[in-house]
Amino acid sequence: MSVLRLPPPPLERRMRLAPPRPIDPMPLLRAGLRAAWRGLSLARLTTLAALQDPKGGALLLKSASTDVYENLGLEDWLHECVQPRDREVLLLWRNRPAVVIGRHQNPWQECNLKLMRDKGVRLSRRKSGGGTVYHDLGNINVTFFTSKKGYDRRSNLELIISALRRIRPHLDIIATDRLDLLLNRAFKISGTASKIGRTTAYHHCTLLCHSDSSLLTSVLRTPYQGLKSNATRSRHADVKNLGEEDPTLTCDILMDAIAVEYSRRRGLQNQILLVDPKDALALPGVDRFTQELKSWDWIYGRTPKFSVNHTFSVNHNLSRAEVKLSMNISHGRIESCNIEDLSDWLPSEMCDQLAGDLIGSRFCPTETMILANAHLRVCSPDSMLHNKLNLFCEQVRAIM
């Protein structure tokens, strides 16, 4: 295995005259990696011809975007439109805060949607399977594109481990049987998922460096109860940032190290491509993938069929209602609905009318609010019935 050549210490001449002092090798190693990365970055090509050259070897790509929909769209565009069966591609990318669920998951089971809306954290559904992950700018994402025959998740993870060992040999990182990466044999630092096509495949994984661990934990904890679904459930694990173990690590250092290791193994020279997923001229048709991934029908409408059975209390002055709500949701829309006021707090005909109007609407707080406002307009704003109905509708919206 080749060894990275490091530049000589800048104070070499002075050290001949002064007493020798211990030298920290880490800044030098980082400088060497950056130099290697700069060498790779000389040819920043963004043309379709370069991407689709059938005679080309492996490619190393870096996305210029931090938009989760654009980057997932770029992934799918590369998988569907570019990659020949015998060509390997590595894509490095980062996102602003987002929660990414697997293709067959239920977002209401996986995350706190209300908190995400309040914090400006986007929700996206990827084309691959697997569990839910949190992304932000303190996390990097790595996608390996190969032929179906060359698909090897463990080999990809070993490449990442090797890259980390070259820059931080003291870190204890292993790949598990489930093909996650663990730090100190206890803390998950990477989630992994894949998509296998007829002739090609891709495997992508995360790597936590300096993510907001508090927000990560909060948004990946669902507050919704009474949901029944056959959707794929995530397995929760204790997570930790690499930066907590070694504060000198940054996302740029990690990306540099993985890029250098991939290039070393593939024999790449001056073949780094910086790609912009918004550039529809260089990447014709990529916007179609992006628009699909950010649509409500894909993010929520692709949720496997599920049911909600929820009983809640509503208080108004000295009166109290016990309400039982039952719904079936298919393709993200309410297929059937029954509202039962066990204490006759609201007129039964009003409950029946509201339940009937909910059928066919999206299972989301926005459409429910519009529907609730239509019902509230028929009541006097100062009436007790108006106040009760408003409180009731807030409770219904809270489960969405």
Side-chain angles (χ1 to χ4, degrees):
M1 183 177 294
S2 61
V3 178
L4 186 65
R5 296 182 181 272
L6 302 178
L11 301 180
E12 186 179 22
R13 293 182 179 178
R14 297 183 189 178
M15 291 182 66
R16 292 174 182 169
L17 302 176
R21 292 181 297 176
I23 300 175
D24 180 5
M26 287 300 107
L28 298 178
L29 188 53
R30 287 197 295 272
L33 282 170
R34 289 196 180 97
W37 174 255
R38 284 195 295 271
L40 291 170
S41 304
L42 293 176
R44 288 174 177 256
L45 307 175
T46 57
T47 64
L48 181 64
L51 287 169
Q52 291 186 322
D53 181 4
K55 298 180 181 179
L59 284 175
L60 174 58
L61 311 179
K62 185 177 181 181
S63 174
S65 174
T66 56
D67 181 284
V68 63
Y69 307 117
E70 291 175 356
N71 282 325
L72 290 175
L74 174 61
E75 267 194 333
D76 291 326
W77 184 85
L78 289 167
H79 178 67
E80 298 290 339
C81 303
V82 172
Q83 185 198 172
R85 288 185 299 175
D86 57 349
R87 193 174 203 181
E88 294 184 335
V89 179
L90 178 72
L91 173 66
L92 299 169
W93 46 294
R94 295 161 70 195
N95 288 326
R96 298 189 298 277
V99 168
V100 185
I101 62 175
R103 183 186 183 101
H104 306 294
Q105 290 197 292
N106 182 324
W108 291 275
Q109 282 186 325
E110 297 297 326
C111 48
N112 189 329
L113 296 173
K114 183 180 184 305
L115 179 62
M116 290 168 58
R117 290 190 290 266
D118 293 341
K119 296 291 186 179
V121 178
R122 290 179 163 186
L123 175 69
S124 59
R125 181 189 299 273
R126 60 180 183 269
K127 292 293 182 72
S128 62
T132 300
V133 292
Y134 170 78
H135 291 180
D136 63 18
L137 293 177
N139 163 93
I140 72 170
N141 302 285
V142 186
T143 308
F144 297 86
F145 297 87
T146 64
S147 65
K148 184 177 181 179
K149 183 178 179 180
Y151 168 77
D152 189 342
R153 288 201 290 179
R154 182 164 293 279
S155 175
N156 297 336
L157 295 179
E158 290 297 336
L159 183 150
I160 293 175
I161 293 173
S162 178
L164 291 172
R165 284 176 179 165
R166 284 177 176 270
I167 60 170
R168 296 295 189 274
H170 63 282
L171 294 179
D172 178 14
I173 301 172
I174 63 168
T176 68
D177 292 338
R178 290 179 51 80
L179 299 179
D180 295 323
L181 293 182
L182 293 187
L183 174 66
N184 298 334
R185 315 285 170 130
F187 300 102
K188 187 174 177 179
I189 59 171
S190 174
T192 185
S194 60
K195 180 180 179 181
I196 302 176
R198 186 173 60 86
T199 59
T200 59
Y202 67 76
H203 162 222
H204 47 194
C205 60
T206 62
L207 196 59
L208 294 172
C209 184
H210 288 285
S211 283
D212 186 334
S213 55
S214 176
L215 186 57
L216 180 156
T217 302
S218 298
V219 298
L220 296 187
R221 182 182 297 123
T222 178
Y224 310 110
Q225 300 178 359
L227 274 66
K228 292 184 178 181
S229 174
N230 291 325
T232 303
R233 296 294 297 268
S234 297
R235 295 191 179 188
H236 293 281
D238 292 330
V239 300
K240 191 173 186 178
N241 282 299
L242 287 168
E244 297 177 60
E245 193 77 4
D246 187 335
T248 64
L249 278 173
T250 66
C251 286
D252 286 336
I253 290 174
L254 292 176
M255 296 177 83
D256 288 355
I258 294 170
V260 169
E261 181 66 17
Y262 185 82
S263 299
R264 185 187 68 83
R265 295 190 178 198
R266 303 301 191 275
L268 295 181
Q269 292 182 350
N270 298 337
Q271 292 184 13
I272 177 68
L273 290 92
L274 183 67
V275 293
D276 183 355
K278 291 188 290 291
D279 190 347
L281 292 177
L283 314 173
V286 69
D287 52 336
R288 174 173 60 86
F289 292 89
T290 300
Q291 292 304 315
E292 178 192 6
L293 289 166
K294 69 194 308 183
S295 69
W296 191 96
D297 286 338
W298 171 256
I299 298 172
Y300 296 98
R302 285 300 184 109
T303 301
K305 187 174 182 178
F306 68 102
S307 63
V308 176
N309 292 285
H310 186 57
T311 301
F312 56 89
S313 299
V314 187
N315 297 302
H316 179 260
N317 293 337
L318 299 178
S319 62
R320 177 185 178 91
E322 293 291 332
V323 180
K324 183 177 181 180
L325 177 66
S326 300
M327 291 180 176
N328 289 314
I329 293 91
S330 179
H331 301 294
R333 294 182 178 272
I334 300 171
E335 192 175 54
S336 65
C337 179
N338 182 65
I339 300 172
E340 186 178 0
D341 182 355
L342 303 177
S343 54
D344 294 327
W345 193 67
L346 286 172
S348 59
E349 60 271 15
M350 181 174 285
C351 293
D352 293 341
Q353 181 65 45
L354 181 60
D357 290 345
L358 282 168
I359 294 174
S361 65
R362 292 175 175 178
F363 187 70
C364 75
T366 302
E367 287 204 8
T368 300
M369 181 177 66
I370 294 172
L371 180 62
N373 287 337
H375 281 260
L376 288 168
R377 280 194 292 270
V378 304
C379 303
S380 171
D382 299 325
S383 69
M384 182 178 295
L385 185 59
H386 182 282
N387 294 333
K388 285 183 176 182
L389 181 59
N390 186 46
L391 290 170
F392 172 80
C393 290
E394 287 182 0
Q395 289 287 333
V396 175
R397 288 169 52 205
I399 69 171
M400 301 178 176

